[in-house]
Amino acid sequence: MENQQQAEIKQGTRLREIIAVMRKYHFISNFYHQRDPEAICNALQELGPTFIKLGQILSTRPDLVSADYVRALRKLQDQVTADSFASVQQSFEEATGKTIAAVFKEFDQEPFASASIGQVHHATLLDGTPVVVKVQHPAVTQLVNTDLALLRRAVKMVKYVPANTVVVDLDRTLDEVSSSLLSEINTLHEAHNGEEFYRLNNGQGIFAVPKVYPAYCAPRILVNQAMTGKSIRQLFTASTDEEQERNRSLATALVRNFMKQVFVDHFFHADPHPGNILFATAPACQLEAGWEFQHSFKHTEITYQQQRSLPPYRLIYLDFGMMGRLTPVMADGIAEVVLALTSKDQHRIAQAVLGICNQTGELDQLRFTKELAGFMRPYLAEGLGQIDFSNMLYRIVRLCEENHLQIKPEVTMLIKAFGTLESTVARLDPDISMMAVARPFGLAYLRRKFKARDLADDSLFKLWSVLESAGQLPERIDTALDTFNSGDIEVKLRYPGQRQLLKQVERVANRLLVVIVLAAVILGSSLLIESSTRHPHIYHLGVFGYAISIGVIIVLIVSELWHRIRRWHNNKK
């Protein structure tokens, strides 16, 4: 009972601390209106590890916050004081049921990195294999759950903020970020992701992925193969022609591998920032598969593959806490978006965007196509290689929401990852266009999806249908003219804003009907009062009619004022 009271007091103290910091930096108002991102960063830093991690996750979600917030939140650092070795030993034993000495031949007592969720140590397995061991800080899961619960309570204060200038949906933002954070602190989930990513990408060209040792993993404990290398951001300042040529090759390889993850594996790294990609030297004598030729003859398939030497370096992916997965149907939609963007066909872009959205309300497709075309025109004019992807994505999401459309979460994660990787490859090779590299992958994916023979069969069938219909065309025209002459043709017209106009006409008609009824009631009440000097009951009935009429008139006036105020607010938005 005493422990429960202490926990309640601790939760209450933490809530007061969160509210005090939020008031100090006007957190709710600033975040709600996407103002003063530096104040938000200071507040998150002051609130501690959980909130720093929340800010870092938000910095990878340009669909949830503005481009200014994305840039500011990327500067958040989560270096925290490391736990003592005694604490690490206790955490390891509680999670695995074994001592560190029983599992590892060597274990560095000092971590080489310590972040908000946990710290990482170099170690050696009993068979001599070098590994890195990630150990969560004690009670970090309980701390995260407590902070999220308290933050959700604090967000309720948003009801006191005027809603006419809303920019961010706080409830949706908190749901998305909470899901990402809870997934990231689940080490077993990260281990499964690492195993799958290793199987799909390790040894694919110049790419290497650390091996996961699931036998040694447990809740709060993750054991991976030790990988040597330096962050790819150290290559951004290339000076010589040789270094620049190497960076161009690295940029192209990164984009090609990411497209493979999307269109072949349907499983992609959702946070490919420079800190999660290492560069390491390697022997130049290793071989990889080069170009491949395939041909099918009857029931026999012939494959010819040429091998080539790999360059003397490798790119290594790290951190698999945040991964994305696509269904084949969703991959079809992504391929359509890529091809539409590279073709710069505005109508096709609108149709492709509709294919990756959920409809949340009434949609005027013609209006959405027109608005999206107007929005995309300057971006397409300046060239895909020069597009500010984060800002474009944020504005597209807002445009979709205004038209009762919501981009599907897996697509949002993919576009976020695409934008993160784009900023990296742009530093390696400013001239590269990810969309230009993505186009061949989109075409190849659609070719695999819809085989050439099937397309040829479909084309022949359509051609035969057209020729067959062409022979019946004179007869159909004659039938249509007869129908027109007989007056049996019904023509349906539709124009933009038709529903709104019809609603307005219906509203005016209803008001007119009410006014006519009111006039009749007032006239009848006047006659009753005028002729009821000797009949008090009839007099009271006339007065009651007057009262009803006055009440209805007041309601009509208030309703009209409220309607005008709402329309004024909507126009102001």
Side-chain angles (χ1 to χ4, degrees):
M1 182 68 179
E2 183 179 354
N3 292 336
Q4 183 179 357
Q5 291 176 348
Q6 290 177 354
E8 291 175 354
I9 293 173
K10 182 178 180 182
Q11 189 180 55
T13 303
R14 180 63 172 158
L15 178 59
R16 286 193 293 272
E17 179 184 349
I18 292 173
I19 294 176
V21 173
M22 286 186 170
R23 285 176 175 171
K24 176 181 176 182
Y25 293 99
H26 305 289
F27 188 97
I28 296 294
S29 178
N30 281 331
F31 188 79
Y32 197 55
H33 303 300
Q34 294 290 276
R35 297 188 302 237
D36 199 355
E38 294 300 329
I40 297 298
C41 288
N42 292 335
L44 295 175
Q45 202 85 43
E46 193 169 321
L47 285 170
T50 303
F51 288 85
I52 292 173
K53 181 58 66 175
L54 288 172
Q56 291 176 334
I57 292 173
L58 275 176
S59 73
T60 67
R61 297 300 301 268
D63 59 307
L64 298 178
V65 294
S66 67
D68 290 338
Y69 264 64
V70 168
R71 284 189 287 270
L73 293 171
R74 282 176 179 168
K75 301 174 185 177
L76 282 173
Q77 301 295 322
D78 63 350
Q79 292 294 327
V80 300
T81 304
D83 300 323
S84 66
F85 183 62
S87 175
V88 171
Q89 285 180 308
Q90 181 179 355
S91 296
F92 187 87
E93 291 179 15
E94 289 176 353
T96 65
K98 301 177 182 178
T99 63
I100 287 179
V103 178
F104 302 102
K105 184 178 180 180
E106 297 178 2
F107 193 99
D108 289 355
Q109 295 190 13
E110 294 295 326
F112 67 87
S114 179
S116 56
I117 301 301
Q119 58 194 55
V120 190
H121 297 255
H122 284 296
T124 305
L125 295 177
L126 296 177
D127 62 1
T129 303
V131 295
V132 292
V133 183
K134 181 178 179 181
V135 183
Q136 278 190 7
H137 297 306
V140 69
T141 301
Q142 293 88 333
L143 176 63
V144 168
N145 287 328
T146 299
D147 278 350
L148 288 177
L150 292 177
L151 184 59
R152 201 171 290 278
R153 290 172 59 185
V155 164
K156 292 181 179 179
M157 293 188 298
V158 76
K159 64 184 179 180
Y160 299 111
V161 180
N164 61 314
T165 54
V166 59
V167 176
V168 169
D169 184 341
L170 287 182
D171 288 330
R172 176 181 168 232
T173 300
L174 187 57
D175 289 341
E176 294 272 357
V177 173
S178 299
S179 176
S180 297
L181 181 55
L182 293 174
S183 176
E184 187 166 341
I185 65 175
N186 185 344
T187 53
L188 290 181
H189 179 69
E190 183 176 350
H192 294 321
N193 288 339
E195 286 185 282
E196 185 171 0
F197 198 79
Y198 176 88
R199 177 177 59 83
L200 295 171
N201 292 280
N202 187 58
Q204 294 288 322
I206 64 171
F207 290 92
V209 180
K211 183 179 180 180
V212 181
Y213 296 93
Y216 305 107
C217 296
R220 299 162 49 202
I221 305 295
L222 182 65
V223 181
N224 283 337
Q225 175 187 0
M227 308 295 285
T228 58
K230 57 185 179 181
S231 170
I232 198 172
R233 64 167 56 93
Q234 297 185 30
L235 307 181
F236 292 165
T237 56
S239 55
T240 66
D241 292 341
E242 183 180 354
E243 289 177 342
Q244 292 174 359
E245 181 62 30
R246 176 205 61 196
N247 283 4
R248 279 192 287 270
S249 299
L250 291 174
T252 302
L254 277 169
V255 179
R256 289 181 179 275
N257 179 260
F258 186 75
M259 292 302 120
K260 168 194 165 294
Q261 295 174 35
V262 173
F263 292 117
V264 178
D265 305 334
H266 301 321
F267 181 70
F268 60 92
H269 198 299
D271 193 19
H273 64 77
N276 285 338
I277 304 174
L278 299 182
F279 175 83
T281 57
C285 59
Q286 296 186 14
L287 301 176
E288 71 160 341
W291 61 273
E292 185 178 281
F293 172 78
Q294 290 184 338
H295 180 70
S296 297
F297 179 73
K298 293 186 178 180
H299 300 293
T300 305
E301 185 171 296
I302 302 173
T303 302
Y304 174 77
Q305 193 176 72
Q306 186 183 42
Q307 291 186 324
R308 62 187 177 190
S309 298
L310 289 173
Y313 48 75
R314 298 290 179 271
L315 290 177
I316 304 165
Y317 276 108
L318 301 176
D319 192 356
F320 309 105
M322 194 182 302
M323 306 295 291
R325 193 180 298 275
L326 297 172
T327 64
V329 173
M330 193 54 59
D332 293 350
I334 298 299
E336 289 290 347
V337 171
V338 169
L339 297 179
L341 285 172
T342 54
S343 69
K344 300 188 178 183
D345 184 334
Q346 295 172 356
H347 178 74
R348 188 177 179 185
I349 292 173
Q351 294 302 310
V353 171
L354 287 173
I356 60 172
C357 290
N358 292 320
Q359 189 172 330
T360 59
E362 185 178 338
L363 171 66
D364 187 335
Q365 190 169 329
L366 187 61
R367 174 193 167 195
F368 172 72
T369 302
K370 183 178 180 181
E371 290 181 355
L372 184 63
F375 164 76
M376 291 296 299
R377 194 172 294 115
Y379 285 99
L380 298 180
E382 68 183 28
L384 294 172
Q386 288 73 44
I387 290 176
D388 182 347
F389 205 83
S390 296
N391 185 54
M392 185 183 77
L393 171 62
Y394 181 76
R395 293 180 61 189
I396 286 179
V397 170
R398 297 295 163 231
L399 180 62
C400 288
E401 290 179 348
E402 290 171 4
N403 287 273
H404 308 293
L405 294 169
Q406 184 181 59
I407 296 180
K408 296 178 180 178
E410 59 268 37
V411 179
T412 299
M413 181 173 284
L414 171 62
I415 301 177
K416 181 275 303 179
F418 193 89
T420 302
L421 187 66
E422 185 185 48
S423 64
T424 299
V425 300
R427 297 292 301 276
L428 292 170
D429 180 10
D431 298 326
I432 193 172
S433 169
M434 286 189 65
M435 295 303 299
V437 179
R439 178 179 170 82
F441 279 88
L443 285 170
Y445 174 76
L446 291 178
R447 288 194 196 102
R448 289 195 305 271
K449 189 73 178 178
F450 309 104
K451 294 181 180 179
R453 181 176 298 177
D454 295 338
L455 289 175
D457 291 342
D458 290 344
S459 299
L460 287 174
F461 177 75
K462 289 179 181 178
L463 178 60
W464 172 256
S465 299
V466 170
L467 292 175
E468 187 179 26
S469 299
Q472 301 173 358
L473 188 59
E475 181 181 350
R476 292 182 177 179
I477 292 176
D478 186 58
T479 303
L481 291 174
D482 289 341
T483 307
F484 182 79
N485 289 331
S486 64
D488 294 333
I489 287 182
E490 179 180 350
V491 179
K492 293 183 179 180
L493 298 176
R494 186 181 182 276
Y495 50 89
Q498 175 177 308
R499 287 180 177 272
Q500 289 76 6
L501 179 60
L502 291 176
K503 288 181 179 179
Q504 189 70 11
V505 170
E506 182 181 4
R507 179 170 170 270
V508 171
N510 290 336
R511 291 292 177 90
L512 182 60
L513 180 62
V514 171
V515 168
I516 293 173
V517 172
L518 279 176
V521 171
I522 293 173
L523 179 61
S525 299
S526 300
L527 293 174
L528 290 174
I529 292 174
E530 182 69 22
S531 60
S532 62
T533 53
R534 299 181 181 181
H535 303 281
H537 294 294
I538 296 178
Y539 176 81
H540 291 152
L541 181 62
V543 172
F544 181 69
Y546 271 129
I548 291 178
S549 301
I550 294 172
V552 173
I553 291 172
I554 291 174
V555 170
L556 286 175
I557 293 173
V558 172
S559 175
E560 184 63 26
L561 289 174
W562 176 248
H563 177 73
R564 290 178 179 273
I565 291 173
R566 285 185 61 186
R567 188 169 58 184
W568 178 76
H569 277 295
N570 291 334
N571 292 334
K572 192 176 180 181
K573 289 181 183 179

